[in-house]
Amino acid sequence: MSGLDITVTDSWRAAFPDGAVAVLALDGVTNPAAASALDTIKADLEAELRERYGSLTRPELRALPVLGAYATYYRRFDKTYHVQLQLESVALKGKPIASVSALVETMFMAELKNHLLTAVHDLDAVEPALRIEHAEEPTPYTLITGQEGALRPGDMYMADAKGVICSIIYGQDARTRATDSTTSALYVTYVPPGVDPAVVDTHLDDITRYAGLVSPGLSVLDRRVFR
């Protein structure tokens, strides 16, 4: 397994001494628009989420350890953690997990199970080298929606040689998004202070397992957690 060229900046370490960024690079993947191989395990996960969290209120959900850590982070930017809103939709309102392309769906499933914020990129669209950064000024980048955005000073983000590819508050960019032709994927999980490291390892295991159901021949190019 050969590692990607990734630099962790001193400013990131200083700003987030108890935070983490986890990377998982997978080769030999496919990204069909519909992934029937995930249907059974997705239905099981929906049932598990409803059984585990269905009786909780929104404040009780927000008090859970991982969701609480993200809530504290997002509150600094007057934002609400969107993974909690998605969990509420599935567990409290009975809605299904969104059916999207396979690589994104595996990301959604792992996010809902473990509550960890994750982005998935087309690894071939990423320009080496990667940097894990702390935002100090409102650097612009094109969001995955096609809208123009800018980093929020104080936010955690990742950049490649061409610019920002993702930040916690505004999410990933359009340039490196996974498409139907993606064959190598880069999953990046952004972890604020206060999250148990064991949850991060479980999360990476789950993504690999879910992706392997769709792409049984995949291989792991890199898997690391930067703290």
Side-chain angles (χ1 to χ4, degrees):
M1 182 171 64
S2 59
L4 304 176
D5 186 356
I6 302 174
T7 299
V8 181
T9 64
D10 291 340
S11 63
W12 182 85
R13 294 186 189 279
F16 310 108
D18 297 316
V21 172
V23 298
L24 175 66
L26 303 177
D27 191 28
V29 299
T30 57
N31 193 30
S36 59
L38 295 175
D39 287 349
T40 298
I41 195 168
K42 185 167 66 169
D44 290 344
L45 177 59
E46 290 169 350
E48 178 186 342
L49 295 175
R50 288 165 190 148
E51 180 178 358
R52 181 179 300 177
Y53 304 118
S55 63
L56 300 184
T57 63
R58 173 177 282 189
E60 288 171 334
L61 276 177
R62 191 166 52 243
L64 295 172
V66 177
L67 291 179
Y70 281 97
T72 298
Y73 185 97
Y74 274 69
R75 196 177 300 122
R76 294 163 48 201
F77 301 92
D78 296 321
K79 298 287 185 179
T80 300
Y81 185 34
H82 68 272
V83 172
Q84 178 179 333
L85 299 179
Q86 293 163 352
L87 181 60
E88 291 174 10
S89 177
V90 175
L92 306 186
K93 301 177 183 178
K95 295 184 179 180
I97 296 172
S99 294
V100 287
S101 66
L103 293 175
V104 177
E105 197 163 320
T106 60
M107 179 190 74
F108 281 165
M109 291 167 62
E111 283 184 323
L112 290 170
K113 179 177 180 290
N114 303 303
H115 311 160
L116 296 177
L117 178 67
T118 304
V120 58
H121 306 270
D122 185 322
L123 184 57
D124 292 325
V126 173
E127 293 290 335
L130 289 163
R131 305 186 316 279
I132 298 170
E133 292 268 18
H134 166 249
E136 297 180 358
E137 56 186 32
T139 307
Y141 71 108
T142 304
L143 307 181
I144 197 168
T145 59
Q147 297 177 312
E148 293 302 313
L151 295 175
R152 292 285 296 272
D155 197 9
M156 187 187 302
Y157 76 98
M158 179 176 274
D160 69 359
K162 287 188 174 180
V164 178
I165 67 170
C166 191
S167 69
I168 287 187
I169 295 302
Y170 287 126
Q172 62 192 102
D173 72 328
R175 173 173 57 88
T176 67
R177 71 189 186 280
T179 69
D180 57 4
S181 60
T182 297
T183 58
S184 296
L186 173 64
Y187 290 88
V188 184
T189 300
Y190 298 86
V191 186
V195 175
D196 184 345
V199 178
V200 181
D201 288 330
T202 297
H203 186 66
L204 299 181
D205 289 341
D206 287 334
I207 293 173
T208 306
R209 178 165 55 94
Y210 296 155
L213 293 174
V214 182
S215 308
L218 66 76
S219 59
V220 178
L221 297 176
D222 198 352
R223 173 177 166 153
R224 280 179 288 171
V225 180
F226 299 89
R227 303 191 185 283

